Amino acid sequence: MKTIFKSISCWILALTGTAIMAQESSTSNAALGRITITAYIPPQADALPAGAENMFTNKLNQILTTNGISGSGINSRFIIVPSIVVTSKDILATAPPMTAITMDVNLYVGDGFDGKRYAANTVSVKGVGTNETKAYLDALKNIKANDPGIQNFLSGAKTKIIEYYNSRCGQIINEANTLASSQMKYDEAIYKLTSVPEECSECYTKAMAAAGSMYKKKIERDCKLRMAEANNLWNANQNWETANQVGEILSSIDPEASCYKEALALSDKVGKRVMELDKREWNYKMELDVNLKRDTIKALRDIGVSYGNGQPKTVVYKSIW
């Protein structure tokens, strides 16, 4: 039996993040700054057995991470998409009867937002199992992440992705600047900039410089807002419970912010008042005093991770096959 998966141009497909299990999320510190590709399995002409589809998704993510790519990015515009052509499916006259499947697995990588295909590769595999699902699993297991054809295929895709960022670097930075300056969306802007892969060395350098400038503005704004909140709380009610609430706010202020000295002064003030009221030392004072300066790159990526993890895990993709 031969099943042909027919591509439908410009078919809009919805991807739910819960359907894709990543070995490494693109919103982890380790992944930000790397090329990110989301594994997406669209509906096939003959639906894959549920167990086979889950295993195949994991296999695609394994292929990506083995080849130095971050898999399953939230809202990643770049996707790897398979289409399976089952060239034969037979029931073998064995005891017990076995199902044998031969299939061509066509892999595509491209821009899921623009619908542009960057690279394609076909892998032929066979599988045998006591039922159809196990036969699929056996066949898909035979796709090797270190296969030279797959490595060359992904290498070509990576080159196209790098070209995308290099050609649109100015646009990406301008979009981030707009988010930060006119909308005060510093976290989203920083996420956009920290998502530029390090492989795009020139654009990456420019993006991180822009992100550093936004980070300074963000911590200044956050410091003023948090100081106002802390002062309002303390002025309204001076007791142990309020002191702890104030301490949580103050300890979240970045030491690089210009109003950090005001935070230290308020911490001292709260500490002295707590001692007068309860005759005990207030722990938050020490926690604030020993707050160390953070590495800027790590701080930027922490913001990117936090923003990315908070986004809706649904994104719409166009067909690239």
Side-chain angles (χ1 to χ4, degrees), residues 3-14:
T3 303
I4 299 176
F5 178 73
K6 297 179 179 178
S7 64
I8 303 176
S9 62
C10 297
W11 186 17
I12 306 299
L13 298 163

Side-chain angles (χ1 to χ4, degrees), residues 174-196:
N174 287 338
E175 289 174 356
N177 283 329
T178 298
L179 286 169
S181 60
S182 63
Q183 303 178 46
M184 299 297 178
K185 295 182 178 179
Y186 293 110
D187 291 3
E188 183 178 353
I190 290 171
Y191 174 76
K192 181 181 285 286
L193 294 172
T194 54
S195 294
V196 174

Side-chain angles (χ1 to χ4, degrees), residues 120-192:
N121 185 64
T122 299
V123 181
S124 298
V125 290
K126 298 179 180 179
V128 178
T130 54
N131 56 46
E132 185 175 318
T133 297
K134 291 183 178 179
Y136 267 99
L137 292 173
D138 189 54
L140 296 174
K141 183 177 64 178
N142 290 321
I143 302 174
K144 305 300 182 184
N146 58 358
D147 177 86
I150 290 178
Q151 290 178 331
N152 290 334
F153 153 68
L154 289 176
S155 177
K158 287 168 69 174
T159 298
K160 291 288 187 179
I161 292 172
I162 289 171
E163 289 175 0
Y164 168 87
Y165 281 106
N166 285 336
S167 65
R168 302 194 186 187
C169 189
Q171 178 184 338
I172 293 169
I173 293 174
N174 287 338
E175 289 174 356
N177 283 329
T178 298
L179 286 169
S181 60
S182 63
Q183 303 178 46
M184 299 297 178
K185 295 182 178 179
Y186 293 110
D187 291 3
E188 183 178 353
I190 290 171
Y191 174 76
K192 181 181 285 286

